[in-house]
Structure formats: C-alpha cells, structure tokens
Amino acid sequence: MGPISSELQRVIDLLAKLPGLGPRSARRVALHLIKRKDTALTSLAAALEDAAAAIVTCETCGNLDTQDPCRICTDTRRDASTLCVVEEVGDLWALERAAVFKGSYHILGGTLSALEGVGPQNLNIGPLVARASAPVVTEVILALDATVDGQATAHLIMDRLDGADVKITHLAHGVPVGGELDYLDEGTLAAALNARHTY
Amino acid sequence: MGPISSELQRVIDLLAKLPGLGPRSARRVALHLIKRKDTALTSLAAALEDAAAAIVTCETCGNLDTQDPCRICTDTRRDASTLCVVEEVGDLWALERAAVFKGSYHILGGTLSALEGVGPQNLNIGPLVARASAPVVTEVILALDATVDGQATAHLIMDRLDGADVKITHLAHGVPVGGELDYLDEGTLAAALNARHTY
C-alpha cells in the first residue's frame, strides 16, 4: 500500500484523465487542492456541481448554455441568414472572442477521424442540412480545422448540402496576425501570397 | 456578455488557478468536463468532496492522510531513528515510490524563498528540532531541492539542529539514472566524478 490514501488517489486518477494532464501534473493539482481544501477545493467542487446542474446543450445548434435554445440562437440581433459550422463549443468561444461574426452557429461535435473511429453518423450533420435548407439561410461558413480530417469533414458537408440553396464558404488561409514568415509552412505562405491584397 | 455562461466561467476561473493550467487549458478542461457532466464531472466533484472530508494533516510529520498520526508515523515497522526532511508531501510520495527509505518523514511545508517571502517562521522547523532532539533519533536526512533556496534551507536547519545529537546528511549528487552526460550541467558532472565508485 502506497502513502497516498484511496480518497486522494481517486482524485488523482480522475484528474489524470483530463486533457493536458498526466499522472505527474494530476498529483501536483491534487496536492494543491487538498492543501487548500477549505478554499480552492470546496469552491471547485461546488462550481462543478452548479455548472452540471445549470448547463444544457442547445437542441438547435449544439452550444452549451443555461438555456435551450441558447442565448446565441435566441438573440434576434444576430443574423439568421448565415450559419457558421464549427467542430466544438470551444471553437464557437474562440470565434466569439474575435467578435466579428454576428450570425448563427452549428456545432458538429467533432470531425471525421479514421484514427478515432469518427464517421459521418457520429457528427451532427442531419440537423445542419435541415437548418441550411430553411429559406432564410443563404450562406454556410465551414469554420473547420485546416487539417486533413477537418477538410475531409468540409467535403462531406459540401456533399450533403448539395440540395440546399446556400453559398458555402471557408475561412481564409494566410499569415497569422503576429506570425513570423520564417516559421510558417510553405502551404500557408503560398495561400497567403495567392490571396494577397493591395494596400 | 460573452457566450460562456457565468456558471461555466466560474469553473474555468477556478481551474485556471491550478498549477500548470492557464486560461486556455482551463477552458479545454472545463469543456471536457461539462460535455461529460453525468460521468467525469460528477465523479470528480464527488471525489473532491470525499477527499476534503477524509483527509487530514498529520500533526507529527505534516503528511496528508485519512488518519492523524498518519500511517507512516504509526507504522511500527519503520525506523524511528532516521528522520527524512522534505519540502512538500509530493516529495514524500516521490521518495516512497523509490521504496528505499524506511524511516520517518518531516515535511517543512516549503523552502526559504526571498522572492515568495517565505522566511524561517513560515516553515515547520520548531517541531523538527523537537523531534530530532528525541534520544531515539540518530540521523536527519535533508532531502531538499538542489537549488539555492533548497540549500539555504538546509543550512538554516543545520544551524537549528546544532544542539541536537544527530548526524545530518544530504542526498548524493550525481548522474540521474538514464541520464545522458552530454545534457548534464558541469556542477552535476563534477560532483559525480568526485563521488565516483569502483566497480
């Protein structure tokens, strides 16, 4: 029997399953929490339970919010004619931080992945086709990762949206703002050069 | 108002304060948990509360366990004549994983640090002097970090233990097992060379 009690080992094991944490960082986080058990630990446990009780998945777009439909889907100031398709809720957050897009979202819940066994049936595509077929929708932006899996998913969606009367667009490729040319791959540089703008 | 509900933002803010996590990884972990709110999230919240309720600090050595004195302090098979002084409970765990030391521990709760404002009064030194002064104790091992702060702490403890009739030792310096000479600093190499052994 090791020096770590079973209660603490259980916390460590659960933490070690979180993305970005391994056994070593899980031990470090568990120790940090248990040393602050009347403050940080209690707050985190309560916050987790509050969030679990309050947060639901939006049946329309797949976003996570305290209401269904979510605040973005019910916001009448947003443009219902443009649907932005993203892989995960985290991508929606990232786009909202950019504060440029004012349309609606649709969350796929993943991308096609042969490695992880994700096929078309695992993605939220049927409801997307139904939404995109509504007369009000004129454009579907495929804001998917610029990876092989992301692009395979984009092509699948384009196939499925063949019957819908919408313009399908994707995000521009180019030099990241603040990025140094020297560190960019040739594909990005070529795309940035081809899509160059006049001052 | 951003797209993240206040309940979820609170989880993210608390996660971002954990060691090794920043705002980006906290968002990732929070999303991972909330997407699995009936499994991973509920388990983690329950495990945290169980651990908070069960785990106490050992009044003798400073270890964390479900009992006080802890299982190491009450284990009569362990050698009471040797006290191993470590900075944190994590160091005790690391030494127990090595499974070589069979004596008792004493946890300082930190090292001297001018940067973080940690002085002698913030460390668990008085009880250490009392324990080391017991007739049964013959050796105190200072298993502290090989850093400036760790060594300053070691010197402070040596001063305070001046009146106690104990041998004071420290961990050997040398080449880490599996380590490549090419990547080692000169100080470690010099120490390893000076402490060389015959085959």
Side-chain angles (χ1 to χ4, degrees):
Chain A
M1 193 168 61
I4 304 178
S5 71
S6 58
E7 287 85 354
L8 199 47
Q9 190 61 53
R10 182 147 170 266
V11 170
I12 293 170
D13 292 344
L14 289 169
L15 288 171
K17 286 182 194 158
L18 297 178
L21 275 83
R24 183 180 290 266
S25 46
R27 280 198 297 267
R28 205 160 143 236
V29 167
L31 256 187
H32 174 97
L33 286 170
I34 204 71
K35 281 165 64 185
R36 293 157 184 81
K37 67 176 178 176
D38 295 325
T39 53
L41 188 151
T42 310
S43 307
L44 180 60
L48 286 172
E49 290 184 342
D50 289 350
I55 291 171
V56 291
T57 301
C58 175
E59 295 286 337
T60 307
C61 74
N63 187 17
L64 294 167
D65 202 352
T66 49
Q67 57 182 69
D68 173 23
C70 72
R71 284 174 297 161
I72 291 178
C73 285
T74 53
D75 186 344
T76 52
R77 291 164 304 179
R78 295 191 76 113
D79 176 11
S81 72
T82 313
L83 274 184
C84 181
V85 179
V86 293
E87 180 181 340
E88 291 287 2
V89 175
D91 302 323
L92 182 158
W93 293 352
L95 285 165
E96 286 295 291
R97 283 198 297 277
V100 164
F101 180 65
K102 294 297 172 197
S104 309
Y105 288 98
H106 190 87
I107 289 153
L108 282 183
T111 48
L112 294 176
S113 168
L115 262 179
E116 294 172 32
V118 180
Q121 72 284 359
N122 303 115
L123 302 178
N124 188 22
I125 294 179
L128 169 63
V129 174
R131 291 181 76 191
S133 304
V136 66
V137 176
T138 57
E139 181 180 356
V140 173
I141 306 172
L142 301 181
L144 300 172
D145 291 344
T147 58
V148 171
D149 284 344
Q151 294 314 299
T153 310
H155 280 101
L156 171 73
I157 294 172
M158 279 187 273
D159 278 352
R160 298 291 171 89
L161 289 179
D162 210 21
D165 183 24
V166 288
K167 182 168 72 173
I168 303 178
T169 58
H170 67 81
L171 300 183
H173 291 299
V175 182
V177 175
E180 296 180 44
L181 294 198
D182 205 15
Y183 289 91
L184 279 177
D185 65 291
E186 292 77 9
T188 303
L189 275 177
L193 198 63
N194 285 332
R196 65 190 178 278
H197 299 282
T198 50
Y199 278 104
Chain B
M1 192 167 65
I4 305 178
S5 71
S6 58
E7 289 84 354
L8 200 46
Q9 191 60 54
R10 180 145 173 266
V11 170
I12 294 171
D13 292 344
L14 289 169
L15 288 171
K17 288 183 194 158
L18 298 177
L21 275 82
R24 184 180 289 265
S25 47
R27 281 198 296 268
R28 204 160 144 235
V29 167
L31 256 187
H32 174 97
L33 287 171
I34 204 72
K35 281 165 64 185
R36 292 157 184 82
K37 69 177 180 177
D38 295 325
T39 53
L41 188 151
T42 311
S43 306
L44 180 59
L48 286 172
E49 290 185 341
D50 289 350
I55 292 172
V56 292
T57 301
C58 175
E59 294 286 336
T60 307
C61 72
N63 188 17
L64 294 167
D65 201 353
T66 49
Q67 58 181 68
D68 173 24
C70 73
R71 283 173 297 160
I72 291 178
C73 285
T74 52
D75 186 342
T76 52
R77 291 163 306 177
R78 295 189 78 113
D79 176 12
S81 71
T82 312
L83 274 184
C84 180
V85 179
V86 293
E87 181 182 339
E88 291 288 0
V89 175
D91 302 323
L92 180 157
W93 292 352
L95 285 165
E96 285 295 291
R97 282 198 298 277
V100 164
F101 180 66
K102 294 296 171 196
S104 309
Y105 288 97
H106 190 88
I107 289 154
L108 282 183
T111 48
L112 294 176
S113 168
L115 261 179
E116 293 172 32
V118 180
Q121 72 284 0
N122 303 114
L123 302 178
N124 188 22
I125 293 179
L128 170 62
V129 175
R131 290 181 76 190
S133 305
V136 66
V137 176
T138 56
E139 180 180 355
V140 173
I141 306 171
L142 302 182
L144 300 172
D145 290 345
T147 58
V148 171
D149 284 343
Q151 295 315 300
T153 311
H155 280 102
L156 170 74
I157 294 173
M158 279 188 274
D159 277 353
R160 297 291 172 89
L161 289 179
D162 210 22
D165 183 25
V166 288
K167 181 168 70 172
I168 302 177
T169 58
H170 67 82
L171 299 183
H173 290 301
V175 182
V177 175
E180 297 179 43
L181 294 197
D182 206 12
Y183 289 90
L184 279 177
D185 65 291
E186 293 76 9
T188 303
L189 276 177
L193 198 64
N194 284 333
R196 65 190 178 278
H197 300 283
T198 50
Y199 277 103

